[in-house]
Amino acid sequence: MLRRATVALTGLALAAGTLATTASAADTTGADSGAVLAAPADFPVRVNQLGYLPDGPKRATLISSATAPLAWQLRDATGAQVSSGTTTVRGADQASGQSTHLVDFGGYTGTGSGFTLVVSGQTSHPFDISAALYDGLRTDSMSFFYQQRSGIAIDAGLVGGEYARPAGHLGVAPNKGDTSVPCQAGVCDYRLDVRGGWYDAGDQGKYVVNGGIATWQVVNSFERARRSGGDAALGDATLRVPERGNGVPDVLDEARWELEFLMRMQVPAGKPSAGMAFHKMHDTEWTGLPTRPELDDKQRELHRPSTAATLNLAATAAQCARVYAPYDSAFATRCLDAARRAWTAAEADPNALAPATDNAGGGAYEDADVSDEFYWAAAELLATTGETRYRDAVTTSPHHTKPADAFWWGGTGTLGRITLATVPGVTLPADDLTRVRGLLTAAADGHLSTMAAGGYAVPIPVTGYGWGSNSAVANNAMTLAVAYEITGAQRYRAGALESLDYLLGRNALDHSYVSGYGERASENQHHRFWARQNDASLPHPPAGSFAGGPNAGLDDPVAKERLNGCAPAACYIDDIGSYSTNEVAINWNSSLAWLAAFAAERRGLPATPAVQVAPAAVTVPEGGAASVSVRLSAAPAQSVTVTVSRAAGDQDLTATTGSTLVFTPADWAAAQQVSVSAAQDGDTVAGSATSPPVAPAYRRRPSPRRRPTTTSRRPRRPAR
């Protein structure tokens, strides 16, 4: 359910727990007037302004200096009380400077719209409780990417007339690119066609390192949903994209638009640094605000190749090869070829680092340490190919044993850990996989501890309110969701969902950072086309656009002028000029889209779990034994017995231990071992045993083998 505010917020600031706001008049002329009027009514009862899931956590924050618990009531749309209780005093919240209480109404199981929380005569914004709560956000947060596409006309039939526009940067005057783009002086002596892709943020540059993590998250959202059984919601004809109806999941159609661009940024064969990727391409100088894409008249340039960009290409192209293979094998093959060439080129030139000074006309995206990108790319290539060279690169990387850190475009090691921990059949020793999964759950536990220490349940510390803090919240919530997939523990799912509560209004500013979602939602994000605040002929950002969020650094003139003295969690202003707090970016919307897709999955009944066997096939010498690891793909409704037996093949191959495995709803993700032995016999012919597709009652028969043969069957998902 979408709710647009009747007042467009242009300024919010907090100091010492006192809320002070300024607001502009509702837009009646088509452009914001900027006049400062009386502040809108304060809402000290802070809720997720969209609402709550029936089977999720339902908590709110009250701003109050009261030292004793206060009575609260949950009321339905008619005003009738449907639940009640008392608050829990939390005291000072350091990030906001506010004194807080916790309201927990999770015991209420009803559904509907127009609920409110009332505490001591103070009433919250209205909100819904619905299993379909995040369906719209799942779609709108993904629609952002179509509307950020370069090199294609944006269709009014898909996005509405106000958001339609001609294709940008196809070399049609006044554009000078991107079909034949030169390099910066001294970088190369040729031009490349680097059309397509997504505009990075509020500007119209295109950056490989930011495109890499954004693409990975979009594709990973589908990969995760396929494991959970929720991939139909991200399938064909689920998004407003021109490729809908082509038999390919729309999420993958969208990601392909960027993948094609990323591969165009690879240095061609026969040229110096062949296989590397150009770091970025954008205008030679910053364009003004606003500038429609098709009216940009600046020269575009390719910036010198970097190791970081090359490894982003290797990682995302390797992921592409794995995920797109069932839908377009030729494209998957092309992706894998690009990934291999990129990896080889990066190994040959591991210290081509982008400089911080290269920031005229676009962001520098500098990165002085690319060891994390090497680990990420190696993990993706290993998950896709199983080849020894990539396994060795994974296991010898210092990141393989380090704690799982928070990830962002400049720190991608944990993306590799997520792939290793969740993609079935990764050829790592069982102990390695267990340890990597443990690193991720330990990181998730750390986020939960951080959430428990504050008044708003935010998975970032007080020092974490920097540029793009909302993306950090969403990325850490993603780690929580991955921990839920690994363990099935509900506390991790609850943490991921409560992170959305923060982003959608349960925060220091009583503000939803997602346009179109909430009574007080951002609508003046920094953008050159969605710029209604500056030009009445242009639209506000579309629903589902995600603002960067509070930034205590105050790194732009508007923030410095309007937010001086703000508490860290209050350093945000919904003004188009505040690019350091209110810009949009593809790698921020990708984390929101991932999280929205996770939250939108219906979880009333657990998905039928598949049995995952790693490795999918083993070679056993005569007289010897080998082990395989077995786990379920999802939590079962009740305990499941997996029986290991031979369906056909060599009688000398037997499962000597682990022939019967029991997985419970609590430990379904804990890998169990099956030992396969090969008896000594008199012949010299290699034998094999194979298994059929998954049998009823969740049974799976792994494929023991001795000596290499060409007969094996990969595990398949049970029919639904």
Side-chain angles (χ1 to χ4, degrees), residues 319-542:
Q319 180 195 43
C320 162
R322 179 174 70 246
V323 179
Y324 285 76
Y327 308 102
D328 189 334
S329 60
F331 180 61
T333 298
R334 183 155 65 90
C335 283
L336 185 56
D337 175 66
R340 291 185 189 277
R341 288 188 289 116
W343 174 265
T344 300
E347 282 192 311
D349 196 355
N351 296 305
L353 305 179
T357 55
D358 186 14
N359 59 2
Y365 285 94
E366 73 276 11
D367 190 348
D369 179 5
V370 296
S371 62
D372 52 307
E373 281 85 1
F374 268 109
Y375 182 71
W376 174 34
E380 296 299 333
L381 282 158
L382 173 62
T384 297
T385 70
E387 293 175 8
T388 301
R389 64 183 294 200
Y390 305 122
R391 181 169 60 249
D392 291 345
V394 165
T395 57
T396 58
S397 169
H399 293 275
H400 196 48
T401 54
K402 284 183 178 179
D405 49 0
F407 59 87
W408 56 297
W409 66 260
T412 57
T414 290
L415 304 185
R417 297 182 184 102
I418 290 171
T419 290
L420 296 174
T422 59
V423 173
V426 173
T427 55
L428 279 177
D431 288 348
D432 265 26
L433 290 173
T434 299
R435 182 177 46 72
V436 170
R437 290 170 181 149
L439 293 174
L440 289 167
T441 56
D445 287 332
H447 297 324
L448 290 178
S449 295
T450 299
M451 296 174 78
Y456 287 102
V458 194
I460 57 173
V462 176
T463 57
Y465 292 90
W467 201 313
S469 65
N470 282 345
S471 173
V473 170
N475 286 341
N476 290 346
M478 180 175 163
T479 298
L480 287 162
V482 169
Y484 170 71
E485 178 183 354
I486 292 171
T487 67
Q490 287 294 327
R491 68 180 183 276
Y492 297 126
R493 178 173 179 255
L497 295 175
E498 280 206 272
S499 300
L500 275 169
D501 293 346
Y502 165 81
L503 297 173
L504 290 165
R506 184 190 166 196
N507 53 52
L509 296 176
D510 187 37
H511 188 86
S512 168
Y513 297 110
V514 183
S515 56
Y517 286 81
E519 294 290 336
R520 291 181 176 175
S522 299
E523 63 177 9
N524 292 308
Q525 290 101 320
H526 180 85
H527 198 272
R528 277 161 176 73
F529 173 57
W530 305 326
R532 190 176 183 87
Q533 188 178 0
N534 279 11
D535 185 337
S537 69
L538 298 176
H540 286 298

Side-chain angles (χ1 to χ4, degrees), residues 7-15 17-25 34-44 46 63 98 125 507-511 520 562-563 570 572-574:
V7 177
L9 297 182
T10 60
L12 289 166
L14 284 171
T18 302
L19 180 67
T21 69
T22 62
S24 69
V36 178
L37 303 178
D42 188 20
F43 287 77
R46 304 292 168 79
I63 300 175
Q98 297 166 344
H125 296 289
N507 53 52
L509 296 176
D510 187 37
H511 188 86
R520 291 181 176 175
R562 303 285 295 277
L563 299 174
Y572 169 84
I573 183 168
D574 185 23

